[in-house]
Amino acid sequence: MDSGDARTGAINALIERGPVLLEQVLAYVRATYPTYESVSDEVISSSFNQNIDMCIRGVVDGPTPQGHKLRAYAQIARKRFEQGVPVEDLIRSYKHSIGLIADALTELFDAHGVSPFESLHAYRQIWMVSDVYSAVLVEVYRQHQLQLDTRNHAIRNDFIDRLRSGDVDDGVLVTAQTRFDLRVDLDYRGFVAAMIGGTEHDIYSLLALLEPQIFGHRGVCAIRGDVIVGICRDVFDTRDGVSVSYGRPRPLQDIAESLEVARRVARTSTAASAGNHHLEQVGWRVSVDPESPVVDLFEARFRHPLDLAHVDADSTLHSVEEYLRQNRSYKNAAKTLNCHPNTLRYRIGRFTEITGCSVDDTETAVSLQWYFELCARGR
C-alpha cells in the first residue's frame, strides 16, 4: 500500500470511529462545563463532526485550509455565544475535541502503515488549523459582544428614557421584570454617577464598579454621555473619585420624579465631591438655576464694584463665602482661611464699603449664597 492509500485508509477509519469519539466528547463536556446545559447533544454532535472535517481538511489541504470555511464554522459556533456559553469554555471544549481526534488519527496512521514523519507532520497541521480557528473564534466572539453590547446599550437607554419621561405603561413594567429582573412591588431611587477630579479611571471603569452592586432585582443603569444614569434599591459603596447623586425612593410608576431629583442634585457644587449625595444634604442648592436672569444682577452687585476698586475680588469674595459658611463666626472662618480674625474683619468691612451690601443682612446673605453656589459649579 502506497503512502496515499495508507493515509486515506486511516482517514476513513477515523470517520468510522467518529461515534465513539463523540461519546467521549459528550461525557467530557457534560461533566466539565455547566454553561453547556442549554446546548443539546445534537448541536454538540454537529460541532464535533465539523471538527473532524476541519482536521481532515488540515491534513489534506494544509494548516490553513479554505479560510472562508473556518469563518463559516465560527459563525455556526456563534450560536453557542447566544446560548450563554463563554468563549473560554467554547475554546477549551473545542481543543479537547481536537486533541481526541488528533490522537486517534495518529494511532490509525500507525496502524495503516503511514510513516512516522508523515504522521507527525499531519499532527502538527491539525494543531496549526486549531490555532487559526481559535483566533477566528475570538474575532467572531468580539464582533458578537460588540453587537450585543450595542444592542443592550440601546435597550437600556430606551428603558431609562421611558422611566425619566414618566411613560411607564404595562409594557415598560413587563420589560422591567423580564429583562432587568426588577420588582414592581419595590421602591427604587434614581441616581446619577460621575467620575470627578483627576481620576485615572473612565466611564467604563465606573460602570464596572456600579453594575455588580445592582445585579438581581436591585437596579439597572446605562452610560449617558460622561455620566451613568439609572435606578437602584440601595446606595452604592463608592470610592475616591466617584460621586453618586440620588433621588428619593419611589415605585417604578413614579420613578421619573426620583430621576429628576437625582439629576438636579448631581448639578450642585456638593456633588462635585466624592461620595453619595442626597437631597437632604444639598438642600436649597438644587434650586439654583444657572440660566436665571439674576446671574448678571449678582455679578453686578458683588463682583464688578470690587474689580472697579482694584481690590482682589477672588480673595475678598472667598473670605465672605467662608464667613457665611461658618455661620458668621470670624474666629472659625479665620482659622479655615489661615488668617487673623481682624484681617477677616477688614476684608468683610471692605466688601461692605465697596459694594454697599452688608453680609449680615438676610436678603444679601441669601443672594450671596446663591451666587457662591453658582460660582462653585463653574469652578
Side-chain angles (χ1 to χ4, degrees), residues 191 193-196 199 201-215 218 221 223 228 235-244 246 274-276:
F191 74 86
M195 309 295 293
I196 60 172
T199 177
H201 300 293
D202 58 19
I203 194 68
Y204 298 99
S205 300
L206 178 57
L207 185 65
L209 170 68
L210 301 185
E211 276 197 327
Q213 301 187 52
I214 57 175
F215 284 157
R218 290 178 293 171
C221 62
I223 296 175
I228 292 175
V235 298
F236 292 101
D237 292 328
T238 59
R239 62 178 63 167
D240 291 343
V242 175
S243 171
V244 187
Y246 300 90
N276 292 314

Side-chain angles (χ1 to χ4, degrees), residues 26 29-30 33-45 47 79-85 90:
L26 284 170
V29 169
R30 295 305 182 198
Y33 301 109
T35 53
Y36 269 81
E37 182 179 357
S38 62
V39 182
S40 68
D41 287 355
E42 290 74 18
V43 170
I44 296 175
S45 175
S47 294
K79 295 179 181 179
R80 304 297 82 73
F81 304 144
E82 296 172 353
Q83 291 175 293
V85 178
L90 182 63

